């Protein structure tokens, strides 16, 4: 089974071609256009700008993903259009698309493009929940039986911080999530106070590595609560108060990055390990942009008694391959008329 998959829930526009052979998911192409440099100028995403960029990018991105998935290379634009159309018609069995959650303007672009392709070419659509796909990014390039139920799924991205307990693909339970800012959102907002480029996660991680003697500490909110909830707005406020009364220089910015990263990682690990213990989980599957953080990998892997899976970096942050992976493992085909973008989509 070969799938074209589309992701357009936030400021990335992604298209990928993925296939499943003998239970293993292979990524044949994974193309991304991001408007994050534009958002770097405003320090965050302006939804209408993101959607405008996506509408320009989506068709070229789909064409590129289709062409890259095939061994045939088109010599010019005209030929690449017809080549892509042939691949889509002949080789692709279904089209998967993120239908939520996300920004409505952004979601609509992916969903309506896919509906048009489905209507004109008669292809089935597999609607995919973006959050579940972050967890299923871990199914890419591994043997399917390497994943053992029950597992704990941890989603840490710019928009979400959630812990789930999976007994099977269809039987899962949301255990808790953030009460206010998501982990990545706190990182980006604190990054903005420090003058880091947007999104701030990669620079925060890089700067934190320079710190050999940590000399400041921020509180990990809700660290000792029995539930599986998170709260990161207090951390943001604590850093803001600190920044107001201290003169920032390069070393101090590095120290703040270290202390922020540490406070976030600490509570993510504690709650995840609590969930593993409480539910007797066999594995932990992490996903979302913040899961690209290597310090987080190292710490969680060293503290957990069970196997921990993180996606490869290109499948941690928003991408279309993970949408295809979910569709291949657990997707359901839907008639195009029944599919609606759902910005508020959560867990069923
Ligand atoms: O999953 P994602 O690409 O988009 C959403 O669905 O939100 O996550 C983006 C978030 C941003 O907040 C970004 O700062 C964070 O992931 N991020 C990181 C790293 N790379 C990206 N956070 C910590 N360390 C990183 N290396
Ligand atoms: Zn995401």
């Amino acid at each position: 089974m070969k799938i074209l998959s589309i992701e357009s829930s936030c400021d990335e526009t992604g298209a990928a071609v993925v296939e499943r052979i003998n239970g293993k998911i292979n990524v044949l192409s994974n193309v991304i256009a991001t408007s994050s440099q534009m958002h770097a100028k405003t320090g965050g995403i302006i939804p209408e700008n993101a959607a405008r960029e996506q509408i320009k990018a989506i068709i070229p991105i789909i064409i590129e993903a289709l062409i890259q998935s095939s061994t045939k290379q088109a010599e010019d634009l005209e030929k690449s259009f017809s080549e892509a159309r042939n691949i889509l018609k002949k080789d692709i069995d279904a089209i998967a698309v993120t239908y939520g959650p996300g920004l409505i303007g952004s979601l609509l672009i992916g969903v309506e493009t896919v509906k048009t392709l489905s209507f004109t070419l008669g292809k089935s659509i597999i609607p995919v929940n973006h959050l579940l796909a972050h967890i299923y990014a871990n199914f890419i390039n591994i043997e399917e039986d390497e994943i053992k139920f029950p597992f704990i799924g941890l989603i840490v991205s710019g928009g979400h911080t959630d812990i789930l307990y999976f007994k099977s693909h269809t039987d899962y339970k949301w255990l808790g999530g953030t009460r206010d800012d998501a982990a990545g959102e706190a990182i980006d907002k604190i990054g903005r106070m420090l003058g880091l480029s947007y999104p701030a996660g990669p620079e925060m991680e890089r700067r934190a590595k320079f710190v050999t003697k940590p000399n400041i500490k921020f509180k990990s909110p809700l660290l000792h609560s029995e539930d599986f909830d998170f709260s990161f707005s207090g951390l943001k406020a604590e850093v803001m108060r600190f920044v107001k009364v201290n003169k920032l220089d390069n070393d101090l910015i590095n120290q703040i990055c270290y202390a922020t990263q540490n406070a976030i990682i600490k509570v993510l690990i504690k709650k995840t390990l609590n969930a593993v213990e409480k539910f007797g989980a066999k594995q932990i599957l992490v996903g979302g942009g913040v899961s690209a953080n290597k310090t987080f990998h190292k710490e969680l892997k060293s503290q957990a008694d069970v196997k921990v899976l993180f996606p490869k970096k290109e499948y941690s942050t928003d991408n279309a391959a993970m949408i295809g992976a979910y569709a291949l493992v657990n997707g359901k085909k839907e008639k195009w008329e029944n599919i609606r973008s759902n910005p508020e989509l959560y867990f069923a």
Side-chain angles (χ1 to χ4, degrees), residues 11-306:
D11 58 338
E12 270 89 16
T13 319
V17 177
V18 291
E19 67 176 353
R20 191 184 201 190
I21 296 179
N22 299 330
K24 192 170 172 188
I25 291 170
N26 300 317
V27 178
L28 303 179
S29 63
N30 185 35
V31 183
I32 283 267
T34 176
S35 51
S36 72
Q37 276 184 336
M38 186 173 79
H39 306 305
K41 290 183 196 140
T42 45
I45 296 169
I46 297 179
E48 196 180 328
N49 292 348
R52 280 187 196 177
E53 292 307 303
Q54 283 169 322
I55 210 158
K56 288 187 247 168
I58 193 146
I59 296 296
I61 289 288
I62 290 174
I63 291 172
E64 205 177 322
L66 289 166
I67 299 278
Q68 276 187 23
S69 74
S70 132
T71 47
K72 293 175 213 132
Q73 290 302 319
E75 298 131 37
D76 57 41
L77 199 62
E78 192 63 33
K79 288 215 178 87
S80 72
F81 283 166
S82 61
E83 192 56 56
R85 205 177 303 118
N86 285 340
I87 297 167
L88 184 51
K89 270 196 210 157
K90 287 193 203 134
D91 299 351
I92 300 294
D93 300 298
I95 310 175
V97 65
T98 302
Y99 74 110
L103 303 169
I104 183 64
S106 295
L107 288 168
L108 276 169
I109 286 156
V111 168
E112 298 307 312
T113 303
V114 167
K115 279 160 100 169
T116 309
L117 292 175
S118 166
F119 173 72
T120 50
L121 298 171
K123 300 282 168 187
S124 309
I125 305 182
I126 303 175
V128 174
N129 179 324
H130 176 90
L131 297 175
L132 294 177
H134 269 305
I135 298 291
Y136 279 70
N138 287 292
F139 283 72
I140 295 172
N141 283 336
I142 64 164
E143 300 300 331
E144 204 181 343
D145 60 8
E146 284 182 54
I147 306 281
K148 307 267 185 249
F149 290 101
F151 66 73
I152 295 298
L154 173 69
I155 303 160
V156 257
S157 72
H160 298 271
T161 308
D162 293 292
I163 296 196
L164 295 103
Y165 168 57
F166 285 80
K167 273 199 207 163
S168 71
H169 293 304
T170 47
D171 186 1
Y172 61 86
K173 190 173 143 190
W174 179 83
L175 303 178
T178 186
R179 295 179 186 171
D180 39 59
D181 289 356
E185 187 179 358
I187 288 171
D188 294 339
K189 286 177 178 167
I190 291 169
R192 196 173 174 185
M193 292 175 213
L194 304 176
L196 311 191
S197 55
Y198 173 88
E203 191 179 346
M204 185 171 284
E205 181 178 15
R206 190 178 57 74
R207 282 177 167 274
K209 285 197 186 123
F210 289 115
V211 176
T212 47
K213 285 196 191 106
N215 59 21
I216 47 176
K217 217 172 171 185
F218 299 127
K219 278 193 217 85
S220 297
L222 300 182
L223 186 65
H224 301 293
S225 69
E226 298 273 301
D227 52 35
F228 296 103
D229 285 354
F230 300 93
S231 162
F232 294 107
S233 70
L235 174 66
K236 188 182 64 189
E238 190 183 358
V239 178
M240 193 188 280
R241 283 194 297 275
F242 184 87
V243 166
K244 267 193 186 149
V245 295
N246 286 280
K247 194 169 166 347
L248 292 184
D249 60 19
N250 197 44
D251 285 345
L252 190 58
I253 292 176
N254 292 350
Q255 287 283 351
I256 297 171
C257 287
Y258 180 95
T260 301
Q261 185 176 280
N262 199 42
I264 292 175
I265 289 177
K266 204 166 157 186
V267 68
L268 290 175
I269 293 179
K270 175 94 186 307
K271 299 271 165 135
T272 304
L273 298 185
N274 286 353
V276 168
E277 198 185 327
K278 179 164 178 184
F279 293 94
K282 293 188 178 139
Q283 291 183 338
I284 301 166
L285 272 64
V286 192
V290 179
S291 77
N293 188 293
K294 290 280 183 273
T295 312
F296 181 32
H297 288 211
K298 236 173 57 200
E299 292 285 318
L300 182 55
K301 283 184 175 173
S302 75
Q303 292 184 43
D305 294 329
V306 297

